[in-house]
């Protein structure tokens, strides 16, 4: 979906993660892909999908050699990482239509406005959370993460983490189309995990982490569905002045969202990575299931229709 050119963005809803390593998080920091530590980290994080695909060989060097940054002072070392100062260039919807970092900010604004208006109708209050935009590597409440993980939600610090370069991977490696809703869907999916955290059901993913109808897959498909409900109501979201954040949705927007949902299906990723499909290892659900649950949310616009635990099979 395209943003309304004149909508004003609220950059206070995001923060820069830069590429510092070894900072916050658990003592010693944990590296994804680094054995046991990586396993623990992956269990705690709600990753967007396809961690393996992203870790295919271009990792490791992404953040190496860059000077560490001081998060407290907001200073960011040179080297291509996201700079909090960069956010100041993200003023309007027109900026979000041109620049991916601004698009993340605008999407966060819209998604949070949606949940803030929607949850009270379900007798709940929405607790806003920030998105950390980083490049290369970042400390998080779930340990040190690097870009091979892809976007994720950390329930321990209740923040969404997005590597600013992920959208290029989504298109190039995963094969999603380059449409804006393909990207916005990723952000909305991660905020879906925050809603699940507020609902107290996120641990169901950890209790039953693999398989086509596992708790993990049901949690992921629910997040896709919740993202779909946002899309349905996204044009009703506004900036602080009441100006709509988004232009009306188009058919090609939905095509883009579905291309992203399909691109990150476990079966599609497995076929690409290991040449065969092993449903017993699924953590996010098949391409078809991810598209179906997204559409379930989009068509109904009702989060009660996203109860993936209320059906026998989800995949
Ligand atoms: Zn997820």
């Amino acid at each position: 979906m395209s943003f309304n050119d004149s909508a004003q963005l609220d950059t206070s809803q995001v923060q820069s993660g830069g590429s510092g390593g070894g900072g916050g998080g658990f003592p010693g920091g944990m590296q994804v892909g680094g054995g046991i530590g990586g396993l623990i980290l992956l269990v705690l994080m709600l990753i967007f999908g396809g961690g393996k695909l992203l870790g295919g060989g271009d990792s490791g060097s992404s953040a190496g050699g860059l000077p560490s940054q001081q998060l407290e002072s907001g200073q960011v070392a040179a080297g291509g990482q996201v700079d909090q100062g960069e956010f100041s260039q993200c003023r309007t919807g027109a900026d979000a239509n041109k620049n991916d970092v601004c698009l993340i900010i605008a999407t966060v604004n819209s998604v949070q406005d949606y949940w803030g208006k929607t949850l009270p109708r379900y007798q709940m209050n929405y607790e806003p959370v920030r998105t950390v935009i980083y490049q290369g590597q970042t400390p998080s409440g779930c340990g040190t993460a690097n870009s091979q993980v892809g976007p994720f939600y950390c329930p321990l610090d209740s923040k969404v983490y997005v590597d600013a370069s992920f959208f290029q991977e989504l298109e190039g490696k995963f094969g999603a189309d380059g449409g804006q809703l393909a990207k916005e869907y990723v952000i909305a999916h991660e905020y879906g995990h925050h809603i699940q955290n507020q609902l107290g059901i996120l641990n169901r993913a950890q209790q039953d982490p693999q398989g086509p109808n596992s708790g993990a897959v049901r949690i992921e498909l629910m997040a896709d569905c919740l993202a779909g409900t946002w899309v349905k109501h996204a044009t009703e979201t506004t900036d602080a002045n009441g100006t709509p954040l988004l232009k009306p949705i188009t058919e090609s927007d939905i095509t883009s969202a579905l291309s992203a949902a399909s691109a990150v299906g476990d079966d599609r990723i497995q076929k690409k990575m290991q040449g065969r499909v092993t449903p017993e290892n699924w953590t996010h659900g098949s391409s078809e299931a991810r598209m179906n649950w997204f559409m379930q949310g989009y068509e109904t616009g009702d989060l009660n229709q996203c109860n993936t635990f209320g059906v026998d099979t989800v995949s």
Side-chain angles (χ1 to χ4, degrees):
M1 289 180 283
S2 295
F3 291 94
N4 191 356
D5 283 346
S6 59
Q8 302 293 309
L9 306 190
D10 176 6
T11 58
S12 73
Q13 296 181 23
V14 300
Q15 68 187 73
S16 168
S19 72
F26 296 131
M30 293 187 293
Q31 300 293 323
V32 171
I36 291 292
L39 283 175
I40 294 167
L41 183 54
L42 285 171
V43 169
L44 290 173
M45 289 173 168
L46 275 294
I47 61 172
F48 180 66
K52 271 185 181 168
L53 183 62
L54 286 167
D58 63 343
S59 61
S61 62
S62 53
L66 288 176
S68 64
Q69 81 174 99
Q70 291 172 310
L71 289 170
E72 296 76 15
S73 68
Q75 292 176 346
V76 181
Q81 60 268 62
V82 178
D83 184 329
Q84 190 83 32
E86 192 180 327
F87 300 157
S88 65
Q89 296 170 16
C90 299
R91 293 200 181 91
T92 66
D95 298 327
N97 289 331
K98 284 182 293 210
N99 175 290
D100 277 350
V101 169
C102 303
L103 176 140
I104 294 169
I105 295 167
T107 305
V108 168
N109 290 170
S110 173
V111 169
Q112 298 214 101
D113 187 57
Y114 165 65
W115 285 117
K117 287 170 174 165
T118 300
L119 284 193
R121 288 187 215 140
Y122 296 83
Q123 284 72 54
M124 277 181 68
N125 281 319
Y126 177 67
E127 297 158 15
V129 293
R130 282 176 143 187
T131 285
V132 177
I133 304 176
Y134 74 99
Q135 200 156 29
Q137 190 170 317
T138 186
S140 84
C142 293
T144 301
N146 58 33
S147 55
Q148 65 184 289
V149 182
F152 68 95
Y153 173 72
C154 173
L156 300 182
D157 62 10
S158 295
K159 283 180 187 165
V160 171
Y161 290 81
V162 183
D163 183 303
S165 64
F166 176 73
F167 295 139
Q168 285 153 32
E169 310 221 337
L170 183 65
E171 197 179 342
K173 277 193 194 172
F174 286 92
D177 79 17
Q180 278 179 290
L181 193 49
K183 304 169 186 176
E184 294 153 2
Y185 151 73
V186 174
I187 309 297
H189 172 101
E190 295 305 335
Y191 274 88
H193 288 314
H194 175 57
I195 299 299
Q196 294 170 322
N197 195 19
Q198 277 199 229
L199 292 169
I201 59 173
L202 259 191
N203 59 347
R204 289 198 182 192
Q206 282 125 48
Q207 287 160 358
D208 179 15
Q210 280 192 347
N213 292 294
S214 60
V217 165
R218 289 173 193 267
I219 284 289
E220 293 300 336
L221 295 175
M222 189 193 294
D224 287 335
C225 185
L226 295 175
T229 68
W230 164 71
V231 174
K232 173 77 171 182
H233 298 288
T235 53
E236 300 157 25
T237 64
T238 61
D239 67 11
N241 305 318
T243 304
L245 281 161
L246 287 144
K247 292 179 186 168
I249 194 163
T250 66
E251 223 164 278
S252 86
D253 288 328
I254 296 301
T255 303
S256 291
L258 290 175
S259 85
S262 169
V264 292
D266 284 329
D267 51 344
R268 185 148 152 200
I269 291 172
Q270 286 181 338
K271 223 174 278 174
K272 218 182 258 186
M273 292 304 294
Q274 60 187 33
R276 67 203 170 90
V277 177
T278 53
E280 65 271 20
N281 301 123
W282 287 0
T283 56
H284 286 71
S286 66
S287 294
E288 192 188 354
R290 298 199 71 163
M291 291 191 289
N292 286 344
W293 281 100
F294 171 82
M295 287 305 287
Q296 169 90 352
Y298 172 62
E299 283 167 356
T300 65
D302 176 8
L303 61 124
N304 279 336
Q305 303 305 314
C306 293
N307 183 8
T308 51
F309 289 91
V311 293
D312 287 342
T313 57
V314 286
S315 285

